[in-house]
Amino acid sequence: MPSAVPALRRIENGRQSMMWLIRCGVALFLAAWCAAGFAQVFPSKPLRIIVPFAAGGPTDITARQIAPRMTELLGQNIIIDNRAGATGIIGAELVAKSPPDGYTLLMSTASVTSINMVTYSKLPYDTLRDFQPLTPVMTTATILVVHPSLPAKSLKELVALAKARPGQVTMGSAGNGGTLHLALEMLTKEAAVNITHVPYKGAAPAVIDVIAGQLSGMFVDLPVISPYVKAGRVKALAMASPQRSAYFPEVPTTKEAGYPNVELLNYYALFLPARTPREIVGKLHDAVVKTVNTPGVREKLIGAGSDPLTMTPDEFGRFLRADIEKWDRAVKATGVKVE
């Protein structure tokens, strides 16, 4: 009579396989249930927005303009944490290495999450790998300003002055390799002039030195400089944008001044660490979009010289890839490289 052992073994193996599948199913169900439960109670503690530049600069101003309304919508306080240095790398790295739980966000600019990708040979983060794009908050044009005492009433006169005094005209920026630095490099290359670049840990301290006459001038985003232009504390020479700004219609563009390649548009946007759960990404995205579309917040952003803008995370991801490629071409054209 044939032995029943093989048949019994097959039955036992089948039973064990079935039990394994059941355990896996239960584990997956519990994981999904926990994730959903976590998303429903999120946020249960204060959130933190890392600003990778000094307080008082345009990135800091933007974060502080949206934080109060986001606090109302999310029911938790939002702490603005300035971590300035290395063209935003210090703050960006902190967020990239933070737990992907939705409680730590990065308020970034094109300098940090687009340009650093192509100007630094060694970077402690990869924008497309280490961050979850949330949404832009706004875009803004960049303006060239100088101290009122500088004997130049136009961009052409500034170029003539720089040619007459090689290296004596000093221009600040928010850091090596950032948008403001690249705008200056675009100008010096196209105009063939020697202007001394002075990098700072953010736009705000550079602006202070321009106002004080310690610097000849700088390219700077509108939100941080608009009040000083209107008050006559600095002199506006040109808009580094395709068309004139509605906020300063009397200021010509760099193209009108004869330098069409000196052009840029900066974005201000929020990011999360990669692998943040989709439910939390959705909840935060919804809060940011509602915040930007809140009339009082929108008026503040527009009043400072910005154009409010939001995207879905997927749209923003595609935008980032294109923006990085655009800046890669610009960096190759200027030859700027930061080690």
Side-chain angles (χ1 to χ4, degrees), residues 184-206:
L184 175 59
E185 293 295 334
M186 291 173 183
L187 175 62
T188 56
K189 183 177 179 62
E190 189 165 9
V193 291
N194 179 7
I195 294 176
T196 299
H197 171 229
V198 184
Y200 286 73
K201 290 184 178 181

Side-chain angles (χ1 to χ4, degrees), residues 10-337:
R10 286 195 296 272
I11 293 172
E12 178 62 19
N13 289 340
R15 189 183 69 84
Q16 290 178 354
S17 297
M18 182 61 70
M19 291 300 295
W20 181 81
L21 289 172
I22 291 172
R23 291 191 188 100
C24 287
V26 171
L28 290 171
F29 171 79
L30 289 174
W33 182 81
C34 289
F38 180 57
Q40 287 174 2
V41 300
F42 174 87
S44 59
K45 63 180 181 179
L47 291 81
R48 180 172 57 151
I49 296 179
I50 301 296
V51 174
F53 296 108
T59 316
D60 179 71
I61 291 172
T62 304
R64 294 179 191 278
Q65 284 176 331
I66 67 171
R69 180 57 177 151
M70 284 184 65
T71 293
E72 292 176 2
L73 291 169
L74 294 170
Q76 291 290 342
N77 288 330
I78 295 179
I79 300 164
I80 306 300
D81 189 351
N82 297 87
R83 299 295 182 101
T87 319
I89 292 175
I90 292 172
E93 182 182 11
L94 189 157
V95 176
K97 295 180 179 178
S98 293
D101 56 10
Y103 288 98
T104 304
L105 298 88
L106 172 70
M107 175 60 78
S108 185
T109 67
S111 295
V112 182
T113 37
S114 290
I115 299 175
N116 281 354
M117 288 280 289
V118 294
T119 53
Y120 282 85
S121 57
K122 294 180 180 179
L123 198 63
Y125 61 85
D126 182 300
T127 298
L128 302 178
R129 180 195 67 209
D130 298 326
F131 293 110
Q132 166 61 58
L134 194 59
T135 179
V137 172
M138 67 181 195
T139 60
T140 182
T142 300
I143 189 170
L144 173 61
V145 300
V146 296
H147 188 266
S149 66
L150 200 73
K153 296 180 180 179
S154 67
L155 178 51
K156 285 189 175 180
E157 288 185 10
L158 175 66
V159 169
L161 182 66
K163 287 183 175 180
R165 305 175 185 177
Q168 293 183 37
V169 174
T170 57
M171 303 288 282
S173 80
N176 284 316
T179 54
L180 309 183
H181 178 201
L182 278 176
L184 175 59
E185 293 295 334
M186 291 173 183
L187 175 62
T188 56
K189 183 177 179 62
E190 189 165 9
V193 291
N194 179 7
I195 294 176
T196 299
H197 171 229
V198 184
Y200 286 73
K201 290 184 178 181
V207 166
I208 290 171
D209 277 359
V210 173
I211 293 170
Q214 301 299 314
L215 286 173
S216 303
M218 67 183 294
F219 282 94
V220 61
D221 291 345
L222 283 180
V224 73
I225 202 67
S226 293
Y228 302 108
V229 174
K230 292 175 181 177
R233 304 286 299 278
V234 294
K235 185 165 47 179
L237 300 187
M239 295 294 308
S241 55
Q243 59 276 325
R244 294 195 182 200
S245 169
Y247 312 100
F248 299 107
E250 72 284 0
V251 180
T253 66
T254 46
K255 182 177 182 179
E256 289 176 303
Y259 305 99
N261 294 320
V262 184
E263 184 180 297
L264 60 93
L265 188 68
N266 198 4
Y267 65 76
Y268 292 75
L270 286 167
F271 292 79
L272 291 159
R275 296 174 296 281
T276 299
R278 182 179 300 180
E279 295 83 1
I280 292 175
V281 172
K283 192 163 189 176
L284 287 171
H285 180 267
D286 183 59
V288 177
V289 171
K290 287 180 178 177
T291 294
V292 173
N293 289 318
T294 298
V297 175
R298 194 173 185 85
E299 288 168 8
K300 286 181 180 179
L301 294 175
I302 293 173
S306 305
D307 295 305
L309 173 69
T310 59
M311 298 179 186
T312 68
D314 287 342
E315 288 172 339
F316 188 28
R318 291 192 291 272
F319 170 89
L320 280 170
R321 286 179 172 83
D323 199 55
I324 291 169
E325 291 174 2
K326 178 195 76 174
W327 283 111
D328 187 39
R329 293 190 294 271
V331 166
K332 287 175 179 175
T334 60
V336 171
K337 209 69 180 175

